[in-house]
Amino acid sequence: MTREVNYLILYFMSEITKAIQHLCDEKSLPYDSVMEAIEFALAAAYRKDFGNKQQNIKAKFDPENASMKVWDIKTVVNDIAEDVLAAAQAELIARREKARAENRELTEEDLADLPRFNPKLEMMKTSAKEIKKDAKVGDVLEIVLEIPSEFGRMAAQTAKQVIIQKLREAERNMVFDDFKTQQGQIIMGTLQRVEGRKVLVDLGKITGILPLDQQVRRDIYRPGARMKFLVLLVEMSPRGPQIILSRSDVAFVKEIFKQEIPEINEGVIEIKGIARDSGFRSKVAVATNDEAIDPVGSCIGQRGGRINTIIEELGGEKIDIISFSEDAETYVAKALSPAKVAGVKLNETEKSADVFVKPEQFSLAIGRGGQNVRLAAELTGWHIKVKEEGGTQEVSSDAVTEEALVAEAAPSSDITEPEVAKTEDVKTAETEKVKSEILDT
């Protein structure tokens, strides 16, 4: 029934209306936006052929009968004597010269005391009463203008250019508004090409940019491949909307978890913190107020099904899922998993923690290139110093950097088979294979 009604409406439409509707469908633009562009263009054409610069033209177009009406819109203001306006103009010039000499710009506050009158937008009260006897300050007058004849060739060309420009602006604004609502979310995109040090991504309506600092080192960006990206930033530039994407931001991991784990998306399980070396390892702290739910187990899923999917989305990046604790000692010890911690000594003043581990656990607690201790410090917010129990070795989280990890990272061909280690409070998940084993605490 609805389709029949639409066909009936289309049948009775004028040719102009059909053309406008076709344009709306082709550009995916609202009908009102296209009509606004047409009316703005007609106003510009009228000003070109019949108007003047002191007119604030407004046009109304009826596509059914191809008729138009034109008005000059003015706001009524108090009368200002010509000599007062001339004196104000002279004072304005003097203030501008003074500001230029002081190498500064005039502000609205500098000009607030000067009387001003804009003949294009305003009309003085005395003149307004000649058009409308009861006109008062603040009224908006719509003065009807006559259309002497048809538009000339130059005016028609002006209208065409204005319509094209306005439609482009409408398209840009629509794309900007659409992606602005998706900022911070994950979207799918098709890799177009690598241009310099950035990757261009086809997002359908627009091309997104994946800058070098938002790329993952181990990712391979092949043209035509489809990947997930975080919409990191949406901003309007002089050339239109600019969509900045990311695969290395910690928010990318968070959004992937929300997509794959319903309990996190519904707020039953909360992500308390994320520390990440993109492409290598992430530590994710989770918690819940529901005693019936195991937050770590929920993230792992049955036989590692959920975490495996997340790891695949992250290109094989290792994931440590940690049970969050309000107790700082407990939290720091868990954050260093899968290493076993013998003891933790806190310095509340400096917010630092000395963590003691047995000699056989020292390398595991530090991690390759200091990765484990650095991520644990980032996750907990504590400066962590790992000390060998009964020995002399110690490493501080402040002394290791991400660059150290990159320098020591093995080639992708040397990546070992991943696995999952499980304790009462932590499960570590990696690629291809997920296995669980209970470790002594």
Side-chain angles (χ1 to χ4, degrees):
M1 183 65 182
T2 304
R3 183 179 297 180
E4 293 175 356
V5 171
N6 289 338
Y7 282 144
L8 192 61
I9 294 173
L10 190 64
Y11 178 78
F12 286 108
M13 279 183 180
S14 70
E15 290 301 317
I16 296 177
T17 305
K18 290 178 183 177
I20 295 173
Q21 190 60 55
H22 177 73
L23 184 61
C24 293
D25 296 339
E26 182 182 355
K27 299 288 186 180
S28 299
L29 292 172
Y31 185 84
D32 291 343
S33 297
V34 176
M35 284 300 300
E36 182 182 342
I38 292 172
E39 290 173 350
F40 190 91
L42 290 173
Y46 182 92
R47 188 182 296 108
K48 180 82 174 177
D49 268 11
F50 312 119
N52 57 68
K53 295 182 179 179
Q54 302 302 320
Q55 289 179 318
N56 181 27
I57 305 295
K58 172 188 172 183
K60 186 71 176 177
F61 178 67
D62 185 350
E64 293 302 319
N65 53 28
S67 64
M68 66 176 288
K69 296 179 180 179
V70 186
W71 299 268
D72 185 12
I73 310 299
K74 303 289 187 188
T75 301
V76 181
V77 298
N78 284 316
D79 291 342
I80 304 175
E82 289 187 9
D83 58 333
V84 173
L85 285 176
Q89 183 66 23
E91 177 64 20
L92 174 62
I93 294 173
R95 292 185 186 183
R96 280 178 178 167
E97 291 178 353
K98 182 180 179 182
R100 191 178 296 110
E102 296 172 353
N103 196 26
R104 65 182 181 87
E105 295 289 336
L106 283 176
T107 65
E108 285 295 322
E109 294 180 359
D110 296 331
L111 307 175
D113 61 317
L114 296 179
R116 285 179 284 180
F117 174 68
N118 185 345
K120 180 177 180 179
L121 303 176
E122 299 171 337
M123 177 178 287
M124 293 188 188
K125 186 176 179 180
T126 300
S127 300
K129 283 185 173 292
E130 296 177 4
I131 299 171
K132 183 182 177 183
K133 293 182 179 180
D134 60 346
K136 56 184 182 296
V137 174
D139 286 353
V140 177
L141 301 183
E142 295 187 350
I143 305 167
V144 178
L145 302 176
E146 296 296 327
I147 305 175
S149 60
E150 293 183 355
F151 291 124
R153 184 176 62 84
M154 292 301 294
Q157 186 65 25
T158 299
K160 178 182 176 181
Q161 292 173 352
V162 170
I163 288 175
I164 293 172
Q165 178 186 350
K166 285 294 178 181
L167 290 180
R168 283 177 181 167
E169 288 178 5
E171 283 185 273
R172 289 174 177 176
N173 290 335
M174 187 179 66
V175 170
F176 175 80
D177 292 341
D178 181 23
F179 280 93
K180 194 67 177 177
T181 61
Q182 299 182 67
Q183 186 167 301
Q185 299 178 10
I186 287 179
I187 59 174
M188 289 293 295
T190 303
L191 300 177
Q192 280 189 341
R193 64 183 183 278
V194 178
E195 192 174 272
R197 305 181 75 180
K198 64 187 178 184
V199 179
L200 301 184
V201 183
D202 182 7
L203 302 176
K205 298 178 181 178
I206 195 171
T207 298
I209 299 172
L210 182 66
L212 178 65
D213 61 346
Q214 298 301 326
Q215 297 172 23
V216 175
R217 298 180 189 91
R218 292 188 174 186
D219 277 349
I220 299 174
Y221 301 105
R222 294 189 179 94
R226 287 182 61 77
M227 300 179 75
K228 287 185 177 181
F229 301 89
L230 176 77
V231 181
L232 186 66
L233 179 65
V234 180
E235 56 187 4
M236 185 64 80
S237 70
R239 299 180 64 181
Q242 191 172 50
I243 316 298
I244 306 299
L245 305 173
S246 175
R247 281 184 57 85
S248 65
D249 196 271
V250 294
F252 183 69
V253 174
K254 184 176 182 179
E255 290 300 312
I256 289 288
F257 267 74
K258 287 171 67 176
Q259 282 188 354
E260 301 299 334
I261 303 171
E263 292 88 346
I264 292 179
N265 191 46
E266 295 165 4
V268 178
I269 296 175
E270 180 183 358
I271 294 178
K272 287 291 189 177
I274 299 175
R276 187 183 188 201
D277 274 335
S278 59
F280 297 98
R281 194 181 209 98
S282 287
K283 288 182 179 287
V284 182
V286 295
T288 181
N289 293 324
D290 192 336
E291 295 181 357
I293 294 177
D294 173 15
V296 177
S298 297
C299 293
I300 294 293
Q302 188 175 11
R303 296 186 179 181
R306 289 179 174 180
I307 200 65
N308 260 343
T309 303
I310 293 173
I311 291 169
E312 288 174 8
E313 292 288 358
L314 297 176
E317 184 173 315
K318 301 175 183 179
I319 307 290
D320 295 342
I321 303 176
I322 297 165
S323 180
F324 174 80
S325 175
E326 294 288 352
D327 180 70
E329 287 188 19
T330 305
Y331 191 28
V332 169
K334 292 175 181 177
L336 282 168
S337 295
K340 299 177 187 178
V341 173
V344 178
K345 183 180 178 180
L346 301 179
N347 184 329
E348 298 282 353
T349 304
E350 298 179 359
K351 203 172 184 181
S352 62
D354 290 342
V355 179
F356 300 92
V357 297
K358 294 180 179 179
E360 64 270 18
Q361 293 291 313
F362 186 79
S363 296
L364 189 60
I366 299 303
R368 183 166 51 187
Q371 179 193 70
N372 197 52
V373 64
R374 183 171 59 81
L375 288 180
E378 185 180 336
L379 183 69
T380 60
W382 286 76
H383 301 282
I384 299 175
K385 182 179 288 185
V386 178
K387 296 184 176 182
E388 181 185 15
E389 193 174 42
T392 59
Q393 293 188 90
E394 63 177 52
V395 173
S396 172
S397 60
D398 297 331
V400 295
T401 62
E402 188 174 354
E403 286 71 19
L405 171 65
V406 177
E408 293 193 18
S412 57
S413 59
D414 296 331
I415 297 175
T416 57
E417 185 180 43
E419 59 185 25
V420 171
K422 176 180 178 182
T423 69
E424 291 179 333
D425 300 306
V426 63
K427 295 185 180 76
T428 301
E430 301 176 347
T431 54
E432 297 178 3
K433 178 182 175 184
V434 176
K435 63 182 180 179
S436 299
E437 60 181 0
I438 300 177
L439 303 176
D440 296 330
T441 56

